[in-house]
Amino acid sequence: MKKKRSTRLTIPLFLIIACTSLIAFVSACGEEEPTATPVPPPTQAPAPTAAPAPTEAPEPTAAPEPAEEAMAPSSDGMRGGSIIRGVSRTLRQWDYNTEAVWFAPQSLQRHYSNLVRFDPSDGTTILPDLATEWSIGDDADSFTFTVRDGVKFHDGQDLTLEDIKWTFERSKSPPEGERYPRLLALQSITDITIIDDNTITIEIENPNAEFIQNFAAAWGIVFAQHVMEQEGGMNGPDRVVGTGPFIIDEAEMEEFVTSRSNPDYFIDAPDGDPFPYLDEMTTVALSDVEARIAAIQTGRVDISSFDPAEFAPAVGALNAIGDTVRMEVSPLAGINYLSMNANGPPFNDLKARRAAYLLFDRLRMQQLESLPTGEFASVPTGFFGTVDPFIDEIPDIWEVSKDSREEALAEGKALADELGITGFEMVVNSRSFFQELAQLAAQVYADAGWEVTLNVGDSAANAELIQNANFEMSMSTPNVVLPSVSAFLLEQYLPGGREANAAPPPDKIYDLLADLQGATDPVDAHAATREIQRVMREEWIPVVPMGKQVGSSELIANHVQDRPGALGQWFNLHTWMDVWVDDNSPRK
Amino acid sequence: MRDYIIRRVLLLVPNLFILATLTFFLARVLPGDVALGLVAEDGSVINQEAVQVIRDRLGLNDPMPVQYARWMLQLLQGDLGKSDVSDISVVKVVAETAEVTFLLAILSVIIGAVMAIPFGILSAMMRGRWPDQVIRTFSAVFLALPNFWLGILLLLALVTWFSWSPPIFQETFLDAPVEQLQRLILPSIAIGTSFAAVATRLTRSTMLEVLNQDYIRTARAKGLFPNRVIVRHALPNAVLPVITLSALLFAGLLNGAVVLERIFALPGMGVEIVTATSERDFQLLQGLVLVLGAFVMVWMLLIDLLYVALDKRIQLE
């Protein structure tokens, strides 16, 4: 009897307490109506794994198109509304020139302008920005820009040529204690001269027609001198003052950046009013991939950005979410390659480097990197990634082609046997994607008879090993946005560049580089590039190219529109001025 | 009591000194430094010259004893320093992240306790019968489940079935209490459930022990209602170990439920510490660890005082 009575009395007590917690949870969840993701009109099928188009060779002296015409969308955008974009990280510093990674430009570049800019649809064509016209000196060592009148900074002050001069002098000679890792090339500026009210000339140390691309790159933005020279410098969002299509409104470091449209932006849309179409644009950090997928699925964000490392989950998410969201892929200029330490054995020997180069089967690597969908997640590359004008020819070159692969493998094995090399240790970043990639690379070498031991560490730990030349090989995945073959050579492979432990180049490389930089005719530039590649493959071999990830991907709600095909292209270099939302947007 | 509190507070000073010293030297055992973190990309160092300039600016090229002396001098002046990466003061970082961390810890403990105590009592009261079996089975299951996995499942379930996910913008609790609760509720349930799995078993076993005590038998023999026997006589003693466990969990959560903070994009202290470690932001790392150390020490003091208040048999001296 006693037992029964106590049970009767305990259960209600338990139920009361348990129900209280349940009610608290339900009420917390139910405060906000679930955001319905609007069903958009049918749109074109996504092409998540399409290989990027081959990069056109730059035309160094091409006459610029008028700005509005060059950037005109094929159809009128709709004005108003806002979008929220979820990214893995946002900024860590207000002056994004001070850091190397591209999280900061993703959130801040839309507030600034460059002298010239890349066309977002291909990432290589130069378009007008602050400068409406430009010319390259006969010796390819000076650039003259004609700058627009009447451009205003977000604080209402006029942009002057002094601001441009100050910006690039700062890049050339950073203040004490500062360095701008992505602006290394600008240190070769020798002189900046203001010619008249609208004309400025920038001279560089050595002839290089491709140098103009540095002014278009994400880090080559123009600052307001009067803001930057205020006490404290770039110490908060109120110092993010540019001339770009968006004005910073509210921001929290590492969390979000909200911007409103700049009504005085200097480039007009086809409807005659200034870009941008959107009233507001927000970038928010959602570090976890599942959180980003959930946010786009529930309409909390309109665009979710995914790194190459998150490509597979993004494809999976697309399949799960269905037709309210599409995917677009941004080609990356960067490549994955294996860095060899030429300051010590075994790769201080050209034969060992050649063995490593020949034993690495790039087509096999591509095959191993296939996505669950069966598509390839990477394309084989040479030393210059997508800026290589001959990237399409890579699968057909002797050491890569299926037809001659056996021969290349045999030569590689013979060299390895001669030197007695049976494998090596590879330094790898601890992030899971890089470990997976390294395991695939190890598999490729294992197929060729070499054993690879992986040494896994975080970015700073690996950088120390590499800086101290305390490694044999490392897997390098530079997501660099280097604009040209010459920039790749200078900033990656030649002494003073990133590959500090690469083998010193044969002297002829310098002559060929001078030929390339001085070439004003694309035919001459192509000839020089071909010869550089031959020398690199046969007489130098600074690295072993692995391949290039197809790109980072974006899941985009179908109510977000822009020029056809442009939204997913070169997203990290995008100022978002020609993006709009249609009437289905919950944020219209 | 007053002497005891003063003594414990004074003990904070050497404890914090030891913590600061350990943190300083242990952080530097890690390979690499913040300059490499800022300038390195995966597999290469972008600009060697920039590395040296940053090291000079931050004093990383100075001998370690000089860096240590500078850090100690800074602490003596009451300055926790600034982040080497973002140049934001450590105090500001703590102020911005503490709310999330504290609320997450408090909510998790409350949810865990709300589940554990009634389930533990029920399980003890119905020992050997089906509710007991069910509760013990579920507590074993939730004990085995990693809480971050449970968090992801909860998130995906709400997204799939209700098209709902937590708000993505961080606001203070005072400005937007509902939104903040919505952001915190899923990770709190995930942590609270794991905690409840342990606490339920603990409550059950202590309850069973207490229910067999003479004073409970006496209370029953005096004719008190069973409900009153449990609530007034058994529960206060049975719940003491759960309070201990909750206090320890709370202290642990102050250091951050890192994975759950990441999954739910909560800008808490745990994420800050992990980021500072991976970026080798020593100033921020040292400052955060020191502040958290102080929090935990004060918290443990409060728990000791709470014991005295709850159980008169416990003496501080």
Side-chain angles (χ1 to χ4, degrees):
Chain A
M1 279 298 284
K2 234 179 192 178
K3 216 175 203 176
K4 267 188 176 174
R5 196 170 59 197
S6 72
T7 304
R8 263 203 317 271
L9 292 170
T10 311
I11 287 179
L13 180 70
F14 150 74
L15 285 175
I16 289 166
I17 299 174
C19 285
T20 310
S21 58
L22 188 65
I23 289 164
F25 166 66
V26 170
S27 62
C29 289
E31 288 295 334
E32 188 170 320
E33 285 285 311
T35 312
T37 310
V39 179
T43 55
Q44 62 193 45
T49 55
T55 308
E56 292 285 326
E59 293 190 15
T61 53
E65 302 260 336
E68 289 72 14
E69 192 180 325
M71 282 184 279
S74 59
S75 60
D76 282 5
M78 298 169 73
R79 290 193 174 269
S82 63
I83 59 172
I84 300 176
R85 181 189 185 205
V87 295
S88 57
R89 290 188 68 176
T90 60
L91 63 152
R92 300 187 297 182
Q93 307 201 49
W94 297 109
D95 178 359
Y96 76 75
N97 273 351
T98 54
E99 67 175 317
V101 291
W102 41 266
F103 304 115
Q106 274 189 334
S107 300
L108 292 179
Q109 196 193 357
R110 59 181 179 264
H111 308 105
Y112 294 99
S113 308
N114 293 47
L115 274 174
V116 288
R117 58 193 297 271
F118 290 120
D119 184 340
S121 66
D122 64 14
T124 54
T125 306
I126 300 282
L127 297 176
D129 202 1
L130 288 171
T132 52
E133 292 175 7
W134 58 92
S135 62
I136 301 172
D138 292 341
D139 296 330
D141 62 356
S142 68
F143 304 85
T144 301
F145 298 93
T146 305
V147 178
R148 295 167 195 271
D149 274 327
V151 177
K152 287 189 184 299
F153 284 109
H154 299 155
D155 60 1
Q157 298 246 18
D158 289 332
L159 168 90
T160 67
L161 295 188
E162 288 294 340
D163 291 302
I164 296 169
K165 184 176 178 181
W166 182 90
T167 295
F168 293 111
E169 279 180 344
R170 173 181 179 264
S171 309
K172 172 181 149 43
S173 310
E176 193 174 342
E178 294 289 353
R179 279 299 179 273
Y180 310 121
R182 291 282 190 179
L183 298 178
L184 188 65
L186 294 184
Q187 291 181 16
S188 64
I189 291 174
T190 53
D191 196 25
I192 302 174
T193 311
I194 295 172
I195 307 294
D196 58 36
D197 288 350
N198 296 92
T199 314
I200 188 166
T201 296
I202 299 176
E203 292 172 49
I204 57 173
E205 205 169 343
N206 297 308
N208 183 2
E210 294 175 322
F211 192 88
I212 191 167
Q213 304 196 16
N214 289 298
F215 300 112
W219 274 259
I221 51 175
V222 173
F223 291 105
Q225 183 182 359
H226 65 277
V227 175
M228 301 291 283
E229 287 186 339
Q230 285 175 22
E231 193 180 341
M234 287 289 281
N235 60 2
D238 58 322
R239 303 287 168 92
V240 178
V241 176
T243 54
F246 286 93
I247 301 171
I248 198 162
D249 210 16
E250 199 182 350
E252 200 63 57
M253 200 173 274
E254 306 224 33
E255 287 182 33
F256 72 94
V257 178
T258 297
S259 325
R260 63 181 192 278
S261 65
N262 175 8
D264 299 323
Y265 188 54
F266 52 83
I267 298 179
D268 285 341
D271 62 8
D273 287 330
F275 281 119
Y277 291 120
L278 293 168
D279 289 338
E280 196 175 280
M281 157 96 203
T282 297
T283 309
V284 61
L286 297 168
S287 54
D288 186 75
V289 62
E290 301 295 348
R292 255 172 288 141
I293 289 170
I296 193 160
Q297 196 167 354
T298 56
R300 296 272 188 202
V301 303
D302 305 288
I303 298 177
S304 271
S305 174
F306 298 88
D307 300 341
E310 299 160 340
F311 203 93
V315 171
L318 181 70
N319 295 333
I321 294 170
D323 60 4
T324 57
V325 169
R326 67 187 188 276
M327 176 187 264
E328 292 188 10
V329 176
S330 319
L332 293 172
I335 59 172
N336 303 327
Y337 57 71
L338 301 171
S339 306
M340 293 174 285
N341 178 14
N343 288 312
F347 298 117
N348 51 353
D349 185 335
L350 175 62
K351 283 182 181 174
R353 295 201 299 278
R354 184 160 176 81
Y357 178 77
L358 293 176
L359 292 180
F360 192 82
D361 184 342
R362 279 173 261 183
L363 292 178
R364 172 78 176 130
M365 184 70 192
Q366 184 189 33
Q367 202 178 32
L368 289 174
E369 281 192 87
S370 302
L371 290 169
T373 56
E375 304 288 340
F376 290 132
S378 74
V379 291
T381 57
F383 298 102
F384 303 115
T386 39
V387 297
D388 181 347
F390 313 113
I391 188 170
D392 273 359
E393 297 175 14
I394 297 293
D396 300 322
I397 59 175
W398 177 78
E399 59 268 36
V400 177
S401 165
K402 280 178 187 162
D403 298 335
S404 47
R405 188 62 213 141
E406 289 300 317
E407 281 175 59
L409 190 62
E411 187 189 327
K413 280 182 175 168
L415 286 168
D417 290 345
E418 183 187 332
L419 298 167
I421 302 172
T422 55
F424 56 84
E425 186 184 85
M426 190 198 294
V427 173
V428 184
N429 189 285
S430 54
R431 281 175 61 189
S432 60
F433 169 71
F434 297 116
Q435 285 193 55
E436 286 165 19
L437 206 59
Q439 280 163 4
L440 298 183
Q443 179 61 49
V444 172
Y445 274 119
D447 292 348
W450 269 11
E451 189 182 339
V452 178
T453 309
L454 301 183
N455 177 2
V456 181
D458 66 19
S459 189
N462 289 354
E464 184 164 89
L465 290 175
I466 291 160
Q467 198 181 35
N468 295 332
N470 188 15
F471 73 109
E472 290 181 343
M473 192 179 277
S474 79
M475 198 184 74
S476 194
T477 54
N479 262 329
V480 287
V481 190
L482 288 173
S484 63
V485 167
S486 61
F488 249 99
L489 267 177
L490 286 164
E491 294 192 30
Q492 296 289 125
Y493 305 131
L494 289 177
R498 290 187 205 192
E499 291 302 321
N501 295 294
D507 288 342
K508 67 180 82 167
I509 280 287
Y510 291 102
D511 298 333
L512 290 166
L513 176 62
D515 291 347
L516 174 64
Q517 291 180 328
T520 50
D521 183 342
V523 175
D524 295 339
H526 278 213
T529 302
R530 273 198 190 281
E531 185 58 10
I532 287 170
Q533 288 178 326
R534 189 197 64 74
V535 173
M536 288 181 81
R537 284 158 52 194
E538 295 175 8
E539 300 171 35
W540 181 15
I541 312 178
V543 297
V544 177
M546 290 166 64
K548 189 193 80 65
Q549 299 308 123
V550 170
S552 59
S553 55
E554 306 273 353
L555 290 179
I556 302 166
N558 280 342
H559 57 76
V560 179
Q561 309 292 333
D562 76 327
R563 289 192 284 170
L567 190 59
Q569 302 283 307
W570 296 88
F571 236 74
N572 299 328
L573 303 174
H574 205 296
T575 56
W576 298 85
M577 67 181 182
D578 49 0
V579 173
W580 68 89
V581 290
D582 61 29
D583 290 333
N584 290 321
S585 168
R587 277 176 274 279
K588 180 70 175 178
Chain B
M1 166 93 77
R2 196 189 59 188
D3 290 348
Y4 175 80
I5 293 172
I6 291 171
R7 207 163 51 239
R8 286 285 298 266
V9 170
L10 286 176
L11 265 176
L12 284 177
V13 178
N15 283 345
L16 287 175
F17 170 76
I18 292 168
L19 182 64
T21 304
L22 276 177
T23 313
F24 179 89
F25 287 105
L26 287 178
R28 280 154 181 82
V29 169
L30 296 168
D33 59 28
V34 68
L36 287 169
L38 279 173
V39 178
E41 210 171 32
D42 297 310
S44 59
V45 178
I46 292 175
N47 187 332
Q48 297 285 343
E49 190 204 349
V51 172
Q52 284 311 318
V53 170
I54 294 168
R55 281 181 179 158
D56 281 342
R57 174 163 55 89
L58 298 175
L60 299 174
N61 286 325
D62 295 335
M64 207 174 293
V66 174
Q67 293 184 45
Y68 176 69
R70 199 163 48 222
W71 157 240
M72 281 296 149
L73 198 65
Q74 197 179 301
L75 284 183
L76 285 175
Q77 292 166 343
D79 179 9
L80 285 172
K82 288 179 175 181
S83 159
D84 288 336
V85 172
S86 63
D87 211 34
I88 294 176
S89 76
V90 173
V91 174
K92 188 163 185 267
V93 173
V94 170
E96 285 173 354
T97 53
E99 183 190 293
V100 167
T101 300
F102 273 82
L103 280 176
L104 182 63
I106 291 166
L107 265 181
S108 302
V109 170
I110 289 173
I111 289 171
V114 162
M115 285 195 278
I117 293 171
F119 279 123
I121 294 170
L122 183 69
S123 189
M125 299 299 298
M126 306 194 72
R127 183 181 183 185
R129 300 173 65 185
W130 70 264
D132 179 36
Q133 301 289 0
V134 169
I135 290 168
R136 285 166 64 195
T137 304
F138 270 95
S139 69
V141 168
F142 284 111
L143 202 57
L145 284 181
N147 58 19
F148 69 86
W149 190 70
L150 188 61
I152 291 175
L153 283 188
L154 285 170
L155 177 67
L156 294 181
L158 286 173
V159 167
T160 307
W161 293 330
F162 301 106
S163 285
W164 186 89
S165 63
I168 53 176
F169 292 103
Q170 179 63 30
E171 292 178 82
T172 65
F173 186 74
L174 289 177
D175 287 346
V178 175
E179 283 76 11
Q180 185 70 326
L181 276 178
Q182 286 179 343
R183 273 174 73 88
L184 291 169
I185 194 73
L186 293 183
S188 301
I189 289 173
I191 297 169
T193 307
S194 295
F195 166 60
V198 183
T200 301
R201 291 191 156 234
L202 191 64
T203 308
R204 178 184 181 274
S205 61
T206 50
M207 197 69 188
L208 284 174
E209 197 181 314
V210 168
L211 287 175
N212 286 327
Q213 299 282 321
D214 289 345
Y215 73 93
I216 297 292
R217 201 173 299 121
T218 306
R220 282 175 176 159
K222 283 166 69 180
L224 289 178
F225 286 113
N227 196 14
R228 189 174 171 80
V229 171
I230 291 165
V231 173
R232 290 293 301 275
H233 297 277
L235 194 57
N237 288 322
V239 90
L240 272 177
V242 179
I243 291 174
T244 310
L245 194 67
S246 305
L248 292 174
L249 174 78
F250 186 83
L253 287 174
L254 288 184
N255 291 319
V258 176
V259 181
L260 281 162
E261 282 182 6
R262 265 186 69 88
I263 291 170
F264 291 95
L266 297 172
M269 284 182 166
V271 165
E272 278 299 333
I273 287 177
V274 170
T275 307
T277 307
S278 66
E279 291 177 345
R280 307 293 191 267
D281 190 346
F282 294 145
Q283 282 279 325
L284 181 59
L285 179 65
Q286 289 162 191
L288 284 173
V289 171
L290 201 59
V291 171
L292 278 171
F295 275 146
V296 171
M297 286 173 203
V298 172
W299 174 245
M300 297 319 280
L301 171 61
L302 291 176
I303 291 302
D304 287 349
L305 298 177
L306 183 66
Y307 277 161
V308 178
L310 287 175
D311 189 343
K312 302 298 177 197
R313 292 169 300 178
I314 298 174
Q315 297 295 315
L316 286 175
E317 299 302 328

